[in-house]
Amino acid sequence: MQAGNLVVDLEELVSRIPDGASLAIPAEYSGCAAAAVRALIRRGCRDLHLIPVPTGGFMADWLIGAGCVSSVEAAAMTLGEHGTPPRFSAAIREGRIRMKDSTCPAIHAGLQAAEKGIPFIPLRGILGSDLLRYRSDWKVINNPFSEHDDPIVLVPAIRPDVALIHARAADRHGNVWVGVRREMMLMAHAAQATLVTVERIEDTDFLTDDAMAAGTIPALYISALSVVPGGARPIGLAGSYPADGAELAEYAKVAKTEEGFRRWADRAIYGKVPA
């Protein structure tokens, strides 16, 4: 396979995320496809079931503020040092989105079940948590291999319709290097389709390089690629460029109101020049 067979422009890439899809996106410390999320908002996508892996931040808040999201399954929603995502908080208070509370291990375990092609996976650490009262889809059974009382939780597989990630590079065959960010590889294995924006395409083969292969998602898991330099901005991409702290702080401040979010979106998403 050649990368050219996978490469599309950004608008074509996000057109492959249908309304109503379950969409997995990485946490802020990983490969955030921020440019693709902005393009998805411009397209007017609706009714997404958002699965941040395992926590949601700026990208999730943008999508919620723009009215693209109907439900979220995540371990937490946070802007880190910038506080609670303001549009998420408003949507929860107003009953506009549904929240499926989870934990980091449960999100990863559910994706691992999908990766392995099994319907559920056992997980012990949730026992004792009040989350079990709110997640009727998590089942507590007794360990069938134990002769004693030994409860364990069964977590259903999480099979996203689409995983959307940003990475530093793809090679000429369409293999995508994510380095130590193995959660993106897990997302690609679990999802029915994986859409990737990359900083560049390199004329090499990552899978023949022992130093690169372990951190590379093979092209067979990639549905489409788009070359978008700076595609994680303003969130930042480890090893390439830092987050724009001033821009992120400004968002957290102005998006506390619906009007402030709209003004921000007009500038940062739709490219409108303030009057």
Side-chain angles (χ1 to χ4, degrees):
M1 178 181 291
Q2 298 299 312
N5 298 330
L6 295 172
V7 176
V8 298
D9 65 27
L10 185 58
E11 286 68 30
E12 167 63 22
L13 188 87
V14 300
S15 75
R16 302 188 184 196
I17 304 173
D19 290 359
S22 56
L23 177 65
I25 59 174
E28 304 287 275
Y29 51 74
S30 192
C32 292
V37 165
R38 292 193 293 272
L40 187 60
I41 292 170
R42 290 193 296 270
R43 202 200 80 202
C45 191
R46 290 293 181 265
D47 198 30
L48 293 175
H49 172 55
L50 198 60
I51 309 169
V53 181
T55 61
F58 287 96
M59 292 193 304
D61 209 50
W62 302 345
L63 287 163
I64 292 167
C68 302
V69 176
S70 61
S71 63
V72 179
E73 182 174 6
M77 297 290 287
T78 177
L79 302 185
E81 65 185 278
H82 302 293
T84 302
R87 292 298 88 208
F88 165 76
S89 295
I92 289 291
R93 287 195 304 269
E94 297 163 11
R96 290 187 282 108
I97 62 171
R98 181 169 59 94
M99 181 68 185
K100 294 177 70 175
D101 288 307
S102 189
T103 69
C104 295
I107 293 289
H108 285 284
L111 291 168
Q112 287 166 352
E115 177 185 45
K116 299 174 189 298
I118 55 178
F120 57 82
I121 197 166
L123 190 64
R124 196 177 296 278
I126 301 171
L127 289 169
S129 167
D130 63 356
L131 282 176
L132 290 171
R133 291 189 290 168
Y134 303 102
R135 291 296 301 261
S136 59
D137 55 335
W138 292 354
K139 308 297 184 184
V140 180
I141 68 166
N142 197 62
N143 175 5
F145 297 101
S146 175
E147 297 178 358
H148 309 286
D149 185 31
D150 184 22
I152 196 162
V153 181
L154 302 183
V155 175
I158 298 174
R159 297 185 181 89
D161 294 321
V162 180
L164 179 63
I165 64 175
H166 182 74
R168 287 166 65 179
D171 67 18
R172 61 174 173 259
H173 300 296
N175 305 307
V176 174
W177 188 72
V178 295
V180 299
R181 299 268 52 105
R182 298 284 297 185
E183 66 277 0
M184 291 196 285
M185 190 173 297
L186 174 60
M187 291 163 61
H189 290 170
Q192 295 185 52
T194 298
L195 305 177
V196 187
T197 57
V198 294
E199 294 289 316
R200 61 189 179 274
I201 294 177
E202 298 183 5
D203 187 17
T204 188
D205 184 343
F206 295 150
L207 293 178
T208 63
D209 182 342
D210 288 346
M212 301 288 285
T216 297
I217 304 173
L220 65 91
Y221 293 104
I222 307 301
S223 304
L225 289 166
S226 186
V227 180
V228 185
R233 297 184 191 278
I235 297 169
L237 182 65
S240 294
Y241 42 83
D244 185 338
E247 174 69 15
L248 297 179
E250 177 68 11
Y251 172 83
K253 178 182 177 181
V254 302
K256 290 179 181 179
T257 67
E258 177 71 19
E259 180 184 358
F261 175 80
R262 293 300 170 194
R263 288 197 307 270
W264 173 87
D266 281 347
R267 173 183 62 82
I269 294 178
Y270 297 102
K272 297 179 182 179
V273 178

